[in-house]
Amino acid sequence: MNVLIYLIPIALAMGGLGLVTFLWSLKSGQYDDLEGSSWRVLDDGEDRPET
Amino acid sequence: MSCCAAGTEAALDAEKAIHDLPPTDELWLASRQLDGGLRQTDLAVPGVHCGACITTLEKALKALPEVQRARVNLSTRRVTCVWREEVEGRRTDPSVITKAIEAAGYESHLFSISAEEQDSTRNGLIRAMAVAGFAAMNIMLLSVSVWSGADAATRDMFHWISAAIAGPTLIYSGRPFYTSAYNALRHGRMNMDVPIALAISLSYAMSLYETMHHGKEAYFDASVSLLFFLLIGRTLDHIMRDRARSAISGLARLSPRGATVLTPDGGHEYRNIDEVVPGDRLLIAAGERVPVDCVVMSGASELDLSIVSGESLPVAAAKGSALQAGGLNLTGALTVQAMAAARNSFVAEIISLMEAAEGGKARYRRIADRAAEIYAPAVHILALAAFLFWGVFGGDWKHALTIAIAVLIITCPCALGLAVPVVQVVAAGRLFRDGIMVKDGSAMERLTEIDTVIFDKTGTLTLGKPRLVNKGAVSAKALAAAASLALHSRHPLSAALADAGGGDVTRFSLVSEIPGAGIEAGDQEGLWRLGHRAFALNAVSEGSGESDAAGPETVLSLDGKLVAVFKFEDQMRRDAQGLMASLKTRGFKTAILSGDREGVVAALARRLGIGFWRSALTPRGKVEEIKTVSAHGHKVLMVGDGINDAPALAAAHVSMAPATASDVGRQAADFVFLHESLSAVSLAIEVSKRAGRLILENFALAIAYNVVFVPLALLGYASPLVAAIAMSTSSIIVVANAMRLTLGGMPVQPAAQQEAPITPAVAS
């Protein structure tokens, strides 16, 4: 059962990473316009990031 | 436009009248200053609806040298534009932005900026939900290992890890429930959050105790996944209200943000409305709204007061007339003297009346809280009884405590906590699709209780827009001439004429509008005049106002000889008759409370078959009528739009307003509907009633679940596994039941769905 010593922290860290990523994406405004994003993905015009 | 001489103002505004764009000064005032000489303007663009709109609009805006960034938000139908204050040394005219949007084919207007704090509570809730979700998943993973046979040291370790995850989660994610429960208890009340907060904390404390003593049973998973489910409900509820609020604040503001002040040295200055003091001389151009209560010093015009007093006909204004804030100046520019500051103006008076009238709504107790009032004491007594019973008869007090807490966990109103919000979120989403905004869930609960529906007339039962009624009696030639003339004026009767007949804008080249009288133009046939009878027939030089009580009319003359008389009536809203019929069959009482004159109100009441009506009411009078009706035990739904309706909207048990309503009217109403058709009223009642039934069903399901599982807990068989299964299934059943609202059985109005939303900018 010694393997648990690695597995549990790894599992928790991976879950925590997901949580942190979600919180970051929320903070950076990625959920502010879900309807718009679903259209923007189809737009094949200029898609370089804005300066 | 701020730099022009006084005389050109009217001419420029005639051009603006056609486009109806917010003026430069107002745009500048409404923009926010950013760092580095940049300014940000948020505009509502109700017309965007797909990806192509986003691209067109953003491309059009970014092409402007002044614009640095532009981004369309499709969900809220808004565009955020960041622009430079100066380009090549010149001060930017922000109206280039609205002009570019218009050139791209969209309509735009300013809106009252919604507070950012609302956004932060929403994000706070989502964060709490994310943390609870993460914790629930990990703890559940560990719990499954325990249930499938981990024991001794491994089990203890799993329990300790669970405790370490659950503790901070409860503190962080549980805050909304703890604060709400604390507030309720402090005021000596009981709400659904009290038993929730108690159950999650108690189950955590007991599990921690068990863990420390190497016990077998820990309820960390139950307590955290319960929190997760409840947060989902709460977040959805908040998002629903947020969406309605942002949609409502996206509607055009009708009250002006500022006013053009004439300075003593003869210049113009556009000032924020709060900085206008009594005694200031103001200029009100045609097409602008009266900013504060004032007296006319010079100029002549007509004012559309439909939103102020319910008066459906334009009222003449000349030197010496007192004007109330909110009226729309129709035909000519006026110079006025401010009589009151904005905070003491008519609208402010209305707001204080509104605050005084508010009562029924504030006293209303949410159905969930009423349920909690019965449920929570019952559950707590049951747990206490179990504790005493097992302690006295079993002898083992520790075991008795375990059972008592198990009872609390099992009865924790997980399903009850979701029973109401989920149904209301689904119902609000259903109404949203038909253009009805619900401000909060309690409005739907209150709507199920009503038995009387009271309507305002102007702007609610009617559109406040006149319509030509004697088209058949007038020769086509006369109609064409009149319509061609009418195209040059923004008077509501002219607009109706222009709508009715195929006018030709190029037919008359030199058209002059005489404010308060009419319009005239010459061609090879002679001098055409359209307007008041006296003006058109050259009888008296001054327009003496409306004398004909039968209804509004306008006269077309050629060289002073009568050619045709056009008669108008206020246009009824679509489905008004159908709504009255359906309200009657369902047993609702109906009534009209109007500020308009008796004859018009009586005629409309007769046409709609409404027996009870009152005319020429003041705002206070409307509130009193509603209070009288309520005093007889009736619950009133008030449907109204004007500034004068706002106190009545606040006084009624529940209220609705069309999107074309005044700013205060929209604020006061619980429901706001975007479409022209009045069928929104019956749809809202129908959906609310169904939602009410589903809420009761959900309560029944939650209670049935308790009846099954509480005996298990009382007998001491409620293991953590049983608790976890029972709670999740009951929550899922309740949510699934709420979803039934979207399935079949609902009368759908296909017309209402396709119809484009009318915006106040168009209709006013």
Side-chain angles (χ1 to χ4, degrees):
Chain A
M1 292 301 257
N2 283 336
V3 69
L4 285 178
I5 300 207
Y6 310 109
L7 282 183
I8 289 177
I10 290 173
L12 287 179
M14 279 164 58
L17 193 71
L19 178 67
V20 170
T21 318
F22 174 75
L23 292 180
W24 165 78
S25 65
L26 180 71
K27 202 174 172 191
S28 65
Q30 298 190 25
Y31 299 93
D32 287 354
D33 181 18
L34 292 176
E35 227 177 293
S37 307
S38 66
W39 283 101
R40 279 176 205 276
V41 86
L42 299 174
D43 175 22
D44 31 59
E46 178 68 58
D47 59 353
R48 271 180 297 164
E50 287 169 45
T51 46
Chain B
M1 282 168 216
S2 55
C3 55
C4 302
T8 57
E9 211 88 25
L12 278 167
D13 278 301
E15 177 214 7
K16 198 179 71 187
I18 303 164
H19 303 300
D20 244 330
L21 295 174
T24 305
D25 303 304
E26 193 167 356
L27 278 170
W28 189 278
L29 211 61
S31 63
R32 254 187 310 155
Q33 188 152 20
L34 305 177
D35 294 337
L38 294 173
R39 280 183 166 265
Q40 183 182 333
T41 299
D42 294 298
L43 290 165
V45 193
V48 293
H49 64 273
C50 72
C53 301
I54 298 181
T55 330
T56 323
L57 209 51
E58 288 185 355
K59 208 175 273 171
L61 286 174
K62 283 177 188 161
L64 297 172
E66 292 89 353
V67 173
Q68 203 213 19
R69 268 201 314 270
R71 193 163 174 95
V72 176
N73 186 324
L74 192 62
S75 316
T76 53
R77 305 255 196 277
R78 284 178 193 170
V79 57
T80 303
C81 207
V82 176
W83 43 278
R84 299 177 183 87
E85 278 180 5
E86 279 185 2
V87 177
E88 291 158 9
R90 274 187 307 114
R91 205 174 110 119
T92 301
D93 175 3
S95 69
V96 293
I97 297 168
T98 47
K99 288 203 184 102
I101 295 176
E102 210 210 0
Y106 298 93
E107 189 192 307
S108 66
H109 52 76
L110 288 167
F111 57 92
S112 26
I113 294 163
S114 58
E116 298 214 342
E117 48 173 299
Q118 278 155 14
D119 237 25
S120 74
T121 35
R122 187 198 72 160
N123 283 353
L125 273 173
I126 294 180
R127 271 199 299 274
M129 186 179 78
V131 169
F134 159 80
M137 280 187 276
N138 283 289
I139 293 174
M140 197 51 87
L141 211 65
L142 296 167
S143 297
V144 169
S145 321
V146 173
W147 297 332
S148 48
D151 67 1
T154 320
R155 187 186 59 211
D156 279 354
M157 185 180 71
F158 283 177
H159 279 168
W160 277 115
I161 297 173
S162 303
I165 301 173
T169 307
L170 291 188
I171 293 169
Y172 180 77
S173 302
R175 267 181 315 179
F177 300 97
Y178 290 126
T179 45
S180 150
Y182 173 72
N183 282 336
L185 285 180
R186 210 182 43 179
H187 292 106
R189 283 183 289 123
M190 180 62 87
N191 66 10
M192 210 41 118
D193 293 333
V194 178
I196 290 172
L198 201 67
I200 54 177
S201 346
L202 273 180
S203 63
Y204 183 77
M206 186 195 79
S207 308
L208 197 62
Y209 177 85
E210 281 281 298
T211 307
M212 282 192 265
H213 293 83
H214 312 288
K216 273 193 296 208
E217 302 192 332
Y219 292 92
F220 295 116
D221 58 303
S223 125
V224 176
S225 46
L226 173 66
L227 193 60
F228 180 48
F229 282 136
L230 290 171
L231 277 169
I232 293 177
R234 187 127 328 177
T235 311
L236 282 176
D237 187 49
H238 188 85
I239 289 176
M240 158 198 114
R241 275 183 289 159
D242 234 26
R243 193 166 58 159
R245 215 180 290 123
S246 89
I248 291 165
S249 70
L251 297 170
R253 257 176 81 109
L254 294 186
S255 55
R257 216 173 284 262
T260 311
V261 178
L262 296 171
T263 49
D265 55 11
H268 287 105
E269 195 187 329
Y270 193 78
R271 261 190 231 160
N272 194 316
I273 188 111
D274 295 326
E275 290 163 18
V276 174
V277 291
D280 276 351
R281 293 203 309 144
L282 311 173
L283 185 80
I284 306 173
E288 280 185 4
R289 284 194 182 267
V290 179
V292 293
D293 293 354
C294 55
V295 169
V296 178
M297 296 174 71
S298 65
S301 180
E302 278 161 302
L303 282 116
D304 178 357
L305 296 182
S306 58
I307 218 163
V308 182
S309 63
E311 173 75 51
S312 53
L313 290 181
V315 174
K319 187 170 169 9
S321 346
L323 307 179
Q324 280 177 322
L328 179 68
N329 184 12
L330 290 171
T331 42
L334 292 173
T335 308
V336 299
Q337 183 161 33
M339 298 305 286
R343 62 176 178 282
N344 297 325
S345 271
F346 178 60
V347 176
E349 210 175 292
I350 288 290
I351 289 174
S352 66
L353 256 181
M354 251 165 77
E355 280 160 3
E358 207 129 16
K361 280 185 214 176
R363 277 197 304 274
Y364 181 78
R365 304 268 289 119
R366 299 282 305 255
I367 190 166
D369 295 340
R370 277 181 282 154
E373 223 146 60
I374 308 164
Y375 185 79
V379 164
H380 296 162
I381 289 169
L382 193 67
L384 186 68
F387 174 65
L388 293 176
F389 179 86
W390 281 92
V392 171
F393 293 98
D396 182 355
W397 288 96
K398 186 183 160 281
H399 182 59
L401 186 65
T402 318
I403 285 180
I405 291 178
V407 169
L408 278 184
I409 295 173
I410 285 282
T411 55
C412 180
C414 185
L416 277 182
L418 284 172
V420 180
V422 173
V423 174
Q424 287 179 344
V425 167
V426 174
R430 172 72 186 75
L431 289 176
F432 194 87
R433 266 185 288 149
D434 274 324
I436 303 168
M437 315 286 153
V438 186
K439 282 218 193 122
D440 81 84
S442 88
M444 277 190 276
E445 293 173 19
R446 281 181 273 130
L447 192 56
T448 58
E449 297 179 347
I450 57 143
D451 57 8
T452 306
V453 187
I454 296 182
F455 294 91
D456 166 48
K457 186 188 76 73
T458 318
T460 307
L461 285 175
T462 67
L463 284 172
K465 265 195 301 193
R467 190 173 55 101
L468 185 64
V469 281
N470 62 341
K471 195 171 174 177
V474 180
S475 75
K477 187 169 158 282
L479 184 64
S484 309
L485 271 172
L487 279 171
H488 295 274
S489 166
R490 62 181 305 147
H491 194 283
L493 295 184
S494 301
L497 259 180
D499 279 348
D504 177 8
V505 77
T506 56
R507 175 165 169 185
F508 297 102
S509 52
L510 253 178
V511 178
S512 57
E513 178 154 16
I514 294 94
I519 32 184
E520 64 175 22
D523 67 357
Q524 63 275 17
E525 287 176 71
L527 182 71
W528 293 90
R529 275 184 168 185
L530 178 72
H532 284 286
R533 188 176 280 270
F535 162 75
L537 302 181
N538 236 342
V540 199
S541 55
E542 285 293 309
S544 55
E546 215 68 47
S547 55
D548 191 353
E553 61 162 27
T554 187
V555 172
L556 179 73
S557 72
L558 180 60
D559 289 331
K561 283 192 289 294
L562 182 85
V563 176
V565 177
F566 300 98
K567 291 198 177 293
F568 300 87
E569 64 168 15
D570 200 354
Q571 200 174 329
M572 225 193 295
R573 244 177 217 275
R574 212 142 48 75
D575 293 336
Q577 250 141 352
L579 172 70
M580 293 308 152
S582 87
L583 287 179
K584 210 159 277 173
T585 52
R586 278 193 269 172
F588 290 109
K589 287 196 188 63
T590 50
I592 299 180
L593 296 182
S594 175
D596 206 354
R597 282 162 304 157
E598 186 176 334
V600 197
V601 182
L604 186 79
R606 212 171 317 118
R607 266 180 73 186
L608 290 173
I610 297 176
F612 184 91
W613 53 268
R614 292 273 180 277
S615 59
L617 286 172
T618 58
R620 195 183 294 276
K622 289 195 181 195
V623 173
E624 252 130 51
E625 288 287 342
I626 287 189
K627 288 211 168 134
T628 322
V629 176
S630 311
H632 286 92
H634 294 295
K635 304 265 192 212
V636 177
L637 163 66
M638 173 79 199
V639 189
D641 74 319
I643 296 176
N644 61 332
D645 294 318
L649 291 172
H653 193 56
V654 57
S655 50
M656 277 182 98
T660 46
S662 59
D663 300 337
V664 268
R666 288 195 303 243
Q667 258 169 43
D670 296 303
F671 293 83
V672 176
F673 56 98
L674 296 183
H675 299 302
E676 196 188 289
S677 163
L678 261 183
S679 62
V681 175
S682 56
L683 183 69
I685 295 176
E686 175 72 15
V687 171
S688 298
K689 290 233 151 140
R690 284 193 46 146
R693 271 200 299 279
L694 281 173
I695 287 173
L696 290 181
E697 277 174 33
N698 273 352
F699 277 153
L701 283 172
I703 289 167
Y705 144 85
N706 276 321
V707 169
V708 173
F709 285 98
V710 168
L712 282 183
L714 285 174
L715 295 173
Y717 293 122
S719 69
L721 180 59
V722 171
I725 291 173
M727 278 189 194
S728 333
T729 27
S730 70
S731 301
I732 290 168
I733 289 173
V734 167
V735 172
N737 189 42
M739 291 299 164
R740 289 201 308 136
L741 194 64
T742 49
L743 304 174
M746 185 69 66
V748 185
Q749 277 98 12
Q753 278 175 333
Q754 279 145 24
E755 177 192 329
I758 44 167
T759 56
V762 175
S764 62

